[in-house]
């Protein structure tokens, strides 16, 4: 979800980085050679994940007559939030799909930083004749045969837009709606520091091609089920703080989710609500998983505090200011593992500022 660009790139470097057509060549050649394409992404898909997948699917189906099939597949649960996206019903789940090929010419992973986050889709991705990793996470492990990773892009959907532009594929309303959704969600509604002039130029093209900002925003943020609104209020009310109120965190058990009749996806946004507190530099949601582990959603309020690096200590990753991991510890033990590390990070930041 939300993240900022890596500030170590200045704007000139960024333009060189994102405009370099060379890095797209291998991917575009692979599309030219593929009759069958498998597109997948990380478990727990979000707006950028699904928008990028479907944007590619619509574009390839429309503009590449040599491609016989494009199968979009996710491992694990699909959130309901994105049911408004065109083509969403064609996104299959690995657990229930019965029509998949044994091998595809091209496997594409979008918006996923590491192969283990592909879940059950990993073997089909890795088993494709060519595997392509299209992403914007700073922590991306370059696990594809072809890798198009642009950490300065606000969203994978922005990378997808650039690729379609390089391929000279004209946009239509379906492609535009999907890519716009990816960008609006990953920029927090054009609020975060990854909202660059290039992002705005990109969304201007998407709106011209038929994306409807009011409709998309309403579907994403203004049509929440009651259980989501109440769960979020409850989770925020339970926020705990360290002594300086620089770290805020909340702990969400399976029992709490079921008391509200809510799903995991309904927690999206809570970590940003905690970060909103003026003194908070790092916000964390600790969520119990169905397997009794602990999923972390973490946000930083400062470019100087790199939470992706902290998540890397636990096998996770993400972006400098928005990251996550699954800790092997049960819910009651996880805060004691993570909070001292965050205290250290925050005190380093306060010392230098
Ligand atoms: P969220 O908190 O919204 O689930 O995720 C924030 C960011 O961190 C997203 O860009 C997401 O892809 C990344 N992220 C979340 N969980 C994990 C994880 O377990 N591993 C890695 N590598 N990245 C994660
Ligand atoms: Mn993304």
């Amino acid at each position: 979800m939300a993240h900022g660009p890596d500030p170590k790139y200045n704007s000139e470097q960024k333009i060189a980085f994102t405009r370099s057509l060379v890095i797209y060549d291998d991917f575009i050649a692979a599309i030219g050679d593929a009759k069958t394409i498998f597109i997948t992404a990380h478990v727990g898909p979000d707006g950028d994940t699904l928008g990028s997948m479907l944007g590619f699917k619509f574009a390839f189906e429309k503009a590449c007559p040599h491609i016989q099939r494009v199968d979009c597949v996710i491992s694990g649960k699909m959130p309901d939030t994105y049911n408004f996206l065109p083509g969403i019903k064609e996104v299959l789940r690995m657990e229930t799909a019965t029509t998949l090929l044994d091998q595809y010419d091209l496997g594409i992973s979008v918006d996923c930083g590491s192969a283990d986050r592909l879940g059950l889709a990993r073997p089909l991705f890795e088993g494709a004749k060519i595997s392509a990793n299209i992403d914007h996470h700073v922590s991306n492990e370059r696990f594809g045969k072809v890798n198009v990773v642009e950490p300065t892009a606000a969203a994978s959907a922005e990378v997808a837009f650039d690729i379609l532009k390089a391929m000279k594929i004209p946009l239509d309303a379906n492609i535009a709606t999907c890519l716009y959704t990816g960008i609006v969600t990953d920029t927090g509604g054009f609020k975060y520091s990854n909202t660059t002039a290039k992002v705005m130029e990109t969304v201007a093209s998407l709106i011209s091609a038929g994306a409807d900002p009011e409709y998309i925003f309403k579907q994403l943020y203004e049509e929440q089920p009651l259980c989501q609104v109440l769960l979020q209020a409850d989770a925020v009310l339970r926020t705990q703080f360290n002594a300086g109120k620089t770290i805020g965190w909340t702990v969400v058990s399976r029992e709490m989710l079921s008391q509200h009749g809510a799903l995991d996806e309904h927690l999206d946004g809570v970590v940003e609500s905690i970060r909103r507190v003026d003194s908070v530099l790092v916000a964390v949601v600790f969520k119990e998983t169905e397997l009794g582990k602990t999923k972390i959603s973490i946000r930083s309020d400062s470019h100087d505090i790199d939470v992706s690096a902290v998540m890397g200590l636990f096998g996770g990753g993400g972006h400098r200011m928005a990251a996550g991991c699954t800790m092997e510890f049960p819910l009651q033990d996880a805060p004691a593992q993570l909070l001292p590390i965050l205290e250290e990070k925050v005190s380093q930041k306060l010392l230098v500022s």
Side-chain angles (χ1 to χ4, degrees):
M1 298 285 282
H3 17 264
D6 188 336
K8 74 174 177 275
Y9 298 107
N10 66 32
S11 57
E12 268 174 39
Q13 284 169 317
K14 175 174 176 172
I15 288 163
F17 196 80
T18 57
R19 296 288 184 192
S20 158
L21 291 185
V22 176
I23 60 168
Y24 303 143
D25 283 354
D26 289 347
F27 181 58
I28 294 173
I31 293 165
D33 291 340
K35 291 197 175 64
T36 58
I37 297 184
F38 173 77
I39 310 183
T40 190
H42 65 75
V43 292
D46 57 35
D48 189 27
T49 312
L50 294 168
S52 302
M53 285 178 103
L54 288 168
F56 271 142
K57 179 176 163 70
F58 280 120
F60 298 156
E61 285 177 347
K62 176 178 156 181
C64 306
H66 69 280
I67 295 175
Q68 293 161 358
R69 59 190 283 170
V70 181
D71 291 336
C72 291
V73 190
I74 283 288
S75 174
K77 286 186 190 155
M78 280 280 288
D80 286 338
T81 315
Y82 308 100
N83 282 350
F84 73 96
L85 283 177
I88 191 78
K89 291 292 166 224
E90 288 169 47
V91 179
L92 306 172
R93 293 184 56 220
M94 281 305 295
E95 290 78 355
T96 50
T98 54
T99 54
L100 299 178
L101 303 178
D102 292 335
Q103 191 191 32
Y104 288 81
D105 294 336
L106 175 61
I108 303 175
S109 163
V110 291
D111 201 41
C112 182
S114 56
D116 58 308
R117 294 200 81 215
L118 298 176
L120 296 176
R122 182 175 181 173
L124 268 182
F125 170 77
E126 291 181 340
K129 289 179 194 154
I130 295 187
S131 60
N133 161 24
I134 312 296
D135 189 30
H136 70 131
H137 290 93
V138 69
S139 59
N140 188 288
E141 292 171 3
R142 275 52 174 192
F143 54 89
K145 185 165 176 212
V146 173
N147 297 283
V148 180
V149 179
E150 298 192 5
T152 61
S156 295
E158 187 187 350
V159 182
F161 175 93
D162 290 343
I163 291 169
L164 298 185
K165 194 168 173 185
M167 293 177 74
K168 301 193 169 45
I169 294 183
L171 301 174
D172 62 22
N174 284 341
I175 302 171
T177 300
C178 292
L179 298 186
Y180 184 98
T181 298
I183 296 175
V184 74
T185 49
D186 265 20
T187 56
F190 309 116
K191 286 196 306 283
Y192 300 136
S193 60
N194 56 355
T195 309
T196 59
K198 178 168 174 298
V199 162
M200 291 317 215
E201 287 163 15
T202 302
V203 298
S205 302
L206 296 172
I207 293 168
S208 298
D212 179 342
E214 183 192 23
Y215 168 78
I216 295 171
F217 193 88
K218 188 158 192 246
Q219 302 308 310
L220 288 170
Y221 302 113
E222 304 289 341
E223 296 286 344
Q224 298 183 352
L226 180 60
C227 65
Q228 178 170 8
V229 176
L230 296 181
L231 170 73
Q232 299 219 348
D234 194 0
V236 172
L237 269 174
R238 292 170 194 248
T239 303
Q240 302 173 62
F241 296 95
N242 65 342
K245 291 201 169 47
T246 50
I247 304 171
W249 70 95
T250 192
V251 176
V252 180
S253 63
R254 300 309 304 173
E255 193 190 344
M256 192 171 151
L257 287 170
S258 66
Q259 273 168 2
H260 286 285
L263 302 171
D264 293 58
E265 70 193 75
H266 295 142
L267 275 174
D268 280 359
V270 169
V271 70
E272 281 89 6
S273 296
I274 298 173
R275 178 172 62 178
R276 197 168 291 150
V277 176
D278 53 4
S279 58
V280 164
L281 293 173
V282 179
V284 192
V285 172
F286 293 89
K287 183 194 72 185
E288 186 174 24
T289 71
E290 278 161 348
L291 298 174
K293 298 178 182 177
T294 305
K295 177 83 183 112
I296 306 295
S297 241
I298 188 165
R299 300 291 183 270
S300 151
D301 195 38
S302 161
H303 291 281
D304 301 331
I305 301 177
D306 179 357
V307 288
S308 174
V310 177
M311 293 295 95
L313 303 174
F314 298 96
H319 306 273
R320 247 185 122 74
M321 297 175 73
C325 73
T326 300
M327 294 177 86
E328 295 298 321
F329 302 98
L331 193 62
Q332 63 271 23
D333 298 340
Q337 299 294 326
L338 179 61
L339 294 172
I341 300 172
L342 296 179
E343 284 283 4
E344 178 70 27
K345 278 262 172 195
V346 164
S347 52
Q348 280 166 7
K349 148 85 185 154
L350 294 176
L351 273 179
V352 294
S353 59

